[in-house]
Amino acid sequence: GLLKKRKGRGYSARPIQTADVEKAIEIRAVLEGLAARSMAQNGLTETARQRLNKAIDDTAALLEPCHTTTDLIGEYQIANVLFHETLMAECGNELIAHTFERIRRLPLTALGTLAFDPANLERERMRLTVGHSQHVIILDAIKKQDSARAETMMREHSHATLNYAELFVRNC
């Protein structure tokens, strides 16, 4: 969907509008919510359990007040991608990931994508802490096989890319 056929020969890149990104994030939220629901219903594989726990442990360590990393966002991003990709790949329904492939190249729709303002590290640390807390809640719901809670929380979390930027990154 990123290329369109020109009259005659050739292709041109389709311009991407903010509304396109918002629609893609909405679809990603539904797919990630469905993946979380499916994982809760199907149960965690040992591989998924280890990867999800690692992602959560890594982000928890990064968010400790004593952590002085100069690349907080880079390291957090690695753990965040691990969490989201594990959910999608290990949910027990390969059609969810297959469907996601159609939109994953649009801006801000890749699994685990973060928008980050390095000029305000403390405010961003708060946003990352909220995201980490949501990961903990999602994994808890999956472990308890509470599929409705897992899906609802994952959808909320997936909308964070746009919604939380507005909540936490206001100009005062």
Short mmCIF file of all heavy atoms in Angstrom, two decimals, residues 60-100:
data_model
loop_
_atom_site.label_atom_id
_atom_site.label_comp_id
_atom_site.label_asym_id
_atom_site.label_seq_id
_atom_site.Cartn_x
_atom_site.Cartn_y
_atom_site.Cartn_z
N ALA A 60 12.78 -2.96 33.95
CA ALA A 60 12.76 -2.61 35.37
C ALA A 60 14.14 -2.12 35.81
O ALA A 60 14.25 -1.11 36.51
CB ALA A 60 12.32 -3.80 36.21
N ALA A 61 15.18 -2.82 35.39
CA ALA A 61 16.54 -2.41 35.77
C ALA A 61 16.90 -1.05 35.18
O ALA A 61 17.53 -0.22 35.84
CB ALA A 61 17.54 -3.47 35.31
N LEU A 62 16.49 -0.81 33.95
CA LEU A 62 16.78 0.48 33.30
C LEU A 62 16.09 1.65 33.98
O LEU A 62 16.59 2.77 33.95
CB LEU A 62 16.36 0.44 31.83
CG LEU A 62 17.22 -0.42 30.91
CD1 LEU A 62 16.52 -0.62 29.58
CD2 LEU A 62 18.59 0.23 30.71
N LEU A 63 14.95 1.39 34.57
CA LEU A 63 14.17 2.46 35.18
C LEU A 63 14.50 2.71 36.65
O LEU A 63 13.96 3.63 37.26
CB LEU A 63 12.67 2.17 35.01
CG LEU A 63 12.20 2.21 33.56
CD1 LEU A 63 10.80 1.66 33.44
CD2 LEU A 63 12.29 3.62 32.99
N GLU A 64 15.40 1.91 37.21
CA GLU A 64 15.84 2.13 38.59
C GLU A 64 16.50 3.51 38.68
O GLU A 64 17.25 3.90 37.79
CB GLU A 64 16.84 1.05 39.02
CG GLU A 64 16.22 -0.30 39.27
CD GLU A 64 15.30 -0.30 40.47
OE1 GLU A 64 15.60 0.38 41.47
OE2 GLU A 64 14.26 -0.99 40.40
N PRO A 65 16.24 4.25 39.77
CA PRO A 65 16.83 5.58 39.91
C PRO A 65 18.36 5.58 39.86
O PRO A 65 18.95 6.54 39.40
CB PRO A 65 16.35 6.04 41.29
CG PRO A 65 15.18 5.20 41.61
CD PRO A 65 15.36 3.90 40.87
N CYS A 66 18.97 4.50 40.28
CA CYS A 66 20.44 4.44 40.30
C CYS A 66 21.03 4.14 38.92
O CYS A 66 22.23 4.24 38.72
CB CYS A 66 20.91 3.41 41.30
SG CYS A 66 20.35 1.73 40.93
N HIS A 67 20.19 3.80 37.96
CA HIS A 67 20.68 3.47 36.62
C HIS A 67 21.08 4.76 35.90
O HIS A 67 20.29 5.67 35.77
CB HIS A 67 19.60 2.73 35.82
CG HIS A 67 20.14 2.04 34.61
ND1 HIS A 67 20.45 2.71 33.46
CD2 HIS A 67 20.45 0.75 34.38
CE1 HIS A 67 20.91 1.87 32.57
NE2 HIS A 67 20.91 0.66 33.11
N THR A 68 22.32 4.81 35.45
CA THR A 68 22.83 6.04 34.85
C THR A 68 23.22 5.85 33.39
O THR A 68 24.13 6.50 32.90
CB THR A 68 24.06 6.55 35.63
OG1 THR A 68 25.05 5.52 35.63
CG2 THR A 68 23.70 6.94 37.04
N THR A 69 22.55 4.98 32.71
CA THR A 69 22.90 4.73 31.32
C THR A 69 22.77 5.99 30.48
O THR A 69 21.89 6.81 30.70
CB THR A 69 22.02 3.61 30.72
OG1 THR A 69 22.45 3.38 29.39
CG2 THR A 69 20.56 4.01 30.70
N THR A 70 23.66 6.13 29.54
CA THR A 70 23.59 7.26 28.63
C THR A 70 22.67 6.96 27.45
O THR A 70 22.32 7.85 26.71
CB THR A 70 24.99 7.64 28.09
OG1 THR A 70 25.55 6.47 27.46
CG2 THR A 70 25.89 8.11 29.21
N ASP A 71 22.30 5.69 27.30
CA ASP A 71 21.44 5.31 26.18
C ASP A 71 20.18 4.61 26.70
O ASP A 71 19.86 3.50 26.31
CB ASP A 71 22.20 4.40 25.22
CG ASP A 71 21.41 4.15 23.93
OD1 ASP A 71 20.54 4.98 23.59
OD2 ASP A 71 21.66 3.13 23.28
N LEU A 72 19.47 5.29 27.60
CA LEU A 72 18.25 4.73 28.19
C LEU A 72 17.28 4.30 27.10
O LEU A 72 16.79 3.17 27.12
CB LEU A 72 17.59 5.75 29.11
CG LEU A 72 16.19 5.38 29.64
CD1 LEU A 72 16.27 4.16 30.54
CD2 LEU A 72 15.58 6.55 30.38
N ILE A 73 17.01 5.17 26.15
CA ILE A 73 16.00 4.86 25.15
C ILE A 73 16.43 3.69 24.26
O ILE A 73 15.63 2.83 23.93
CB ILE A 73 15.62 6.10 24.30
CG1 ILE A 73 14.40 5.79 23.41
CG2 ILE A 73 16.76 6.59 23.46
CD1 ILE A 73 13.16 5.43 24.13
N GLY A 74 17.69 3.63 23.89
CA GLY A 74 18.17 2.53 23.05
C GLY A 74 18.03 1.18 23.73
O GLY A 74 17.56 0.21 23.14
N GLU A 75 18.43 1.12 24.99
CA GLU A 75 18.34 -0.13 25.74
C GLU A 75 16.88 -0.48 26.05
O GLU A 75 16.49 -1.64 26.00
CB GLU A 75 19.16 -0.03 27.02
CG GLU A 75 20.66 0.06 26.75
CD GLU A 75 21.48 0.17 28.01
OE1 GLU A 75 21.12 -0.48 29.02
OE2 GLU A 75 22.48 0.89 27.99
N TYR A 76 16.09 0.52 26.39
CA TYR A 76 14.67 0.28 26.65
C TYR A 76 13.99 -0.22 25.38
O TYR A 76 13.17 -1.14 25.43
CB TYR A 76 14.00 1.57 27.14
CG TYR A 76 12.59 1.36 27.65
CD1 TYR A 76 12.34 1.22 29.01
CD2 TYR A 76 11.51 1.28 26.78
CE1 TYR A 76 11.05 1.03 29.49
CE2 TYR A 76 10.22 1.09 27.25
CZ TYR A 76 10.00 0.96 28.59
OH TYR A 76 8.72 0.75 29.06
N GLN A 77 14.34 0.38 24.26
CA GLN A 77 13.74 -0.01 22.97
C GLN A 77 13.99 -1.48 22.67
O GLN A 77 13.09 -2.19 22.22
CB GLN A 77 14.29 0.87 21.84
CG GLN A 77 13.75 0.55 20.47
CD GLN A 77 12.31 1.00 20.26
OE1 GLN A 77 11.78 1.80 21.02
NE2 GLN A 77 11.68 0.47 19.24
N ILE A 78 15.20 -1.96 22.93
CA ILE A 78 15.52 -3.37 22.69
C ILE A 78 14.60 -4.28 23.50
O ILE A 78 14.02 -5.24 22.98
CB ILE A 78 17.01 -3.65 23.00
CG1 ILE A 78 17.89 -2.95 21.97
CG2 ILE A 78 17.29 -5.15 23.05
CD1 ILE A 78 19.37 -2.89 22.35
N ALA A 79 14.44 -3.97 24.79
CA ALA A 79 13.58 -4.78 25.65
C ALA A 79 12.12 -4.65 25.26
O ALA A 79 11.36 -5.62 25.29
CB ALA A 79 13.79 -4.38 27.11
N ASN A 80 11.72 -3.46 24.87
CA ASN A 80 10.34 -3.22 24.46
C ASN A 80 10.00 -4.00 23.20
O ASN A 80 8.93 -4.63 23.10
CB ASN A 80 10.13 -1.71 24.24
CG ASN A 80 8.68 -1.33 24.14
OD1 ASN A 80 7.85 -1.73 24.95
ND2 ASN A 80 8.36 -0.53 23.13
N VAL A 81 10.89 -3.99 22.24
CA VAL A 81 10.67 -4.76 21.00
C VAL A 81 10.60 -6.25 21.32
O VAL A 81 9.74 -6.96 20.79
CB VAL A 81 11.78 -4.45 19.96
CG1 VAL A 81 11.75 -5.44 18.81
CG2 VAL A 81 11.63 -3.02 19.45
N LEU A 82 11.47 -6.73 22.21
CA LEU A 82 11.43 -8.13 22.61
C LEU A 82 10.06 -8.49 23.17
O LEU A 82 9.48 -9.53 22.81
CB LEU A 82 12.53 -8.43 23.64
CG LEU A 82 12.55 -9.85 24.21
CD1 LEU A 82 12.83 -10.88 23.13
CD2 LEU A 82 13.58 -9.94 25.34
N PHE A 83 9.51 -7.66 24.03
CA PHE A 83 8.20 -7.92 24.63
C PHE A 83 7.13 -8.01 23.55
O PHE A 83 6.39 -9.00 23.46
CB PHE A 83 7.84 -6.82 25.64
CG PHE A 83 6.56 -7.08 26.38
CD1 PHE A 83 6.57 -7.81 27.55
CD2 PHE A 83 5.35 -6.60 25.91
CE1 PHE A 83 5.38 -8.07 28.24
CE2 PHE A 83 4.16 -6.85 26.58
CZ PHE A 83 4.18 -7.58 27.75
N HIS A 84 7.05 -6.99 22.70
CA HIS A 84 5.99 -6.94 21.68
C HIS A 84 6.13 -8.02 20.61
O HIS A 84 5.15 -8.63 20.22
CB HIS A 84 5.95 -5.54 21.04
CG HIS A 84 5.40 -4.50 21.97
ND1 HIS A 84 4.10 -4.11 21.94
CD2 HIS A 84 6.00 -3.78 22.96
CE1 HIS A 84 3.90 -3.19 22.88
NE2 HIS A 84 5.04 -2.97 23.51
N GLU A 85 7.35 -8.25 20.16
CA GLU A 85 7.55 -9.28 19.13
C GLU A 85 7.29 -10.67 19.68
O GLU A 85 6.77 -11.53 18.97
CB GLU A 85 8.95 -9.17 18.54
CG GLU A 85 9.09 -7.98 17.61
CD GLU A 85 10.43 -7.89 16.91
OE1 GLU A 85 11.36 -8.67 17.25
OE2 GLU A 85 10.55 -7.04 16.01
N THR A 86 7.62 -10.91 20.94
CA THR A 86 7.34 -12.21 21.55
C THR A 86 5.84 -12.45 21.62
O THR A 86 5.36 -13.53 21.28
CB THR A 86 7.98 -12.30 22.95
OG1 THR A 86 9.39 -12.15 22.83
CG2 THR A 86 7.66 -13.63 23.62
N LEU A 87 5.10 -11.44 22.04
CA LEU A 87 3.64 -11.59 22.09
C LEU A 87 3.08 -11.94 20.72
O LEU A 87 2.26 -12.85 20.58
CB LEU A 87 2.99 -10.28 22.55
CG LEU A 87 2.65 -10.18 24.02
CD1 LEU A 87 2.14 -8.78 24.34
CD2 LEU A 87 1.65 -11.23 24.44
N MET A 88 3.54 -11.23 19.70
CA MET A 88 3.01 -11.44 18.36
C MET A 88 3.42 -12.81 17.81
O MET A 88 2.60 -13.52 17.25
CB MET A 88 3.51 -10.32 17.43
CG MET A 88 2.89 -10.31 16.06
SD MET A 88 1.13 -9.92 15.98
CE MET A 88 1.12 -8.16 16.31
N ALA A 89 4.66 -13.18 18.01
CA ALA A 89 5.18 -14.42 17.42
C ALA A 89 4.77 -15.68 18.18
O ALA A 89 4.65 -16.75 17.59
CB ALA A 89 6.70 -14.34 17.34
N GLU A 90 4.57 -15.56 19.48
CA GLU A 90 4.35 -16.74 20.32
C GLU A 90 2.91 -16.87 20.81
O GLU A 90 2.64 -17.64 21.73
CB GLU A 90 5.29 -16.69 21.53
CG GLU A 90 6.76 -16.68 21.19
CD GLU A 90 7.27 -18.02 20.70
OE1 GLU A 90 6.71 -19.06 21.11
OE2 GLU A 90 8.22 -18.02 19.91
N CYS A 91 1.98 -16.13 20.22
CA CYS A 91 0.61 -16.11 20.74
C CYS A 91 -0.19 -17.36 20.41
O CYS A 91 -1.25 -17.60 20.98
CB CYS A 91 -0.12 -14.86 20.26
SG CYS A 91 -0.55 -14.87 18.50
N GLY A 92 0.29 -18.15 19.47
CA GLY A 92 -0.43 -19.36 19.10
C GLY A 92 -1.37 -19.18 17.92
O GLY A 92 -2.11 -20.10 17.59
N ASN A 93 -1.35 -18.00 17.31
CA ASN A 93 -2.19 -17.75 16.13
C ASN A 93 -1.34 -17.01 15.10
O ASN A 93 -1.21 -15.79 15.15
CB ASN A 93 -3.42 -16.92 16.53
CG ASN A 93 -4.36 -16.68 15.36
OD1 ASN A 93 -3.98 -16.78 14.20
ND2 ASN A 93 -5.59 -16.31 15.69
N GLU A 94 -0.76 -17.76 14.19
CA GLU A 94 0.16 -17.17 13.20
C GLU A 94 -0.52 -16.20 12.24
O GLU A 94 0.14 -15.37 11.62
CB GLU A 94 0.91 -18.26 12.42
CG GLU A 94 0.06 -19.15 11.56
CD GLU A 94 -0.66 -20.28 12.30
OE1 GLU A 94 -0.35 -20.54 13.48
OE2 GLU A 94 -1.55 -20.88 11.69
N LEU A 95 -1.83 -16.26 12.13
CA LEU A 95 -2.54 -15.33 11.24
C LEU A 95 -2.53 -13.89 11.77
O LEU A 95 -2.62 -12.94 10.99
CB LEU A 95 -3.97 -15.80 11.00
CG LEU A 95 -4.11 -17.05 10.14
CD1 LEU A 95 -5.57 -17.46 10.03
CD2 LEU A 95 -3.50 -16.84 8.77
N ILE A 96 -2.38 -13.74 13.07
CA ILE A 96 -2.30 -12.38 13.63
C ILE A 96 -1.03 -11.69 13.13
O ILE A 96 -1.09 -10.57 12.62
CB ILE A 96 -2.34 -12.42 15.17
CG1 ILE A 96 -3.68 -12.99 15.65
CG2 ILE A 96 -2.12 -11.02 15.75
CD1 ILE A 96 -3.73 -13.29 17.14
N ALA A 97 0.11 -12.36 13.24
CA ALA A 97 1.37 -11.79 12.76
C ALA A 97 1.33 -11.60 11.25
O ALA A 97 1.84 -10.60 10.72
CB ALA A 97 2.54 -12.68 13.16
N HIS A 98 0.74 -12.55 10.54
CA HIS A 98 0.62 -12.44 9.09
C HIS A 98 -0.18 -11.18 8.70
O HIS A 98 0.20 -10.44 7.80
CB HIS A 98 -0.05 -13.70 8.53
CG HIS A 98 -0.30 -13.64 7.06
ND1 HIS A 98 0.69 -13.81 6.13
CD2 HIS A 98 -1.45 -13.40 6.37
CE1 HIS A 98 0.18 -13.67 4.92
NE2 HIS A 98 -1.12 -13.44 5.04
N THR A 99 -1.25 -10.93 9.39
CA THR A 99 -2.08 -9.75 9.13
C THR A 99 -1.33 -8.47 9.46
O THR A 99 -1.41 -7.48 8.74
CB THR A 99 -3.39 -9.84 9.95
OG1 THR A 99 -4.06 -11.05 9.62
CG2 THR A 99 -4.30 -8.66 9.67
N PHE A 100 -0.56 -8.50 10.55
CA PHE A 100 0.21 -7.32 10.96
C PHE A 100 1.24 -6.92 9.91
O PHE A 100 1.53 -5.74 9.74
CB PHE A 100 0.89 -7.58 12.31
CG PHE A 100 1.79 -6.46 12.72
CD1 PHE A 100 1.25 -5.27 13.16
CD2 PHE A 100 3.17 -6.59 12.65
CE1 PHE A 100 2.08 -4.21 13.52
CE2 PHE A 100 4.00 -5.55 13.00
CZ PHE A 100 3.45 -4.36 13.44
#
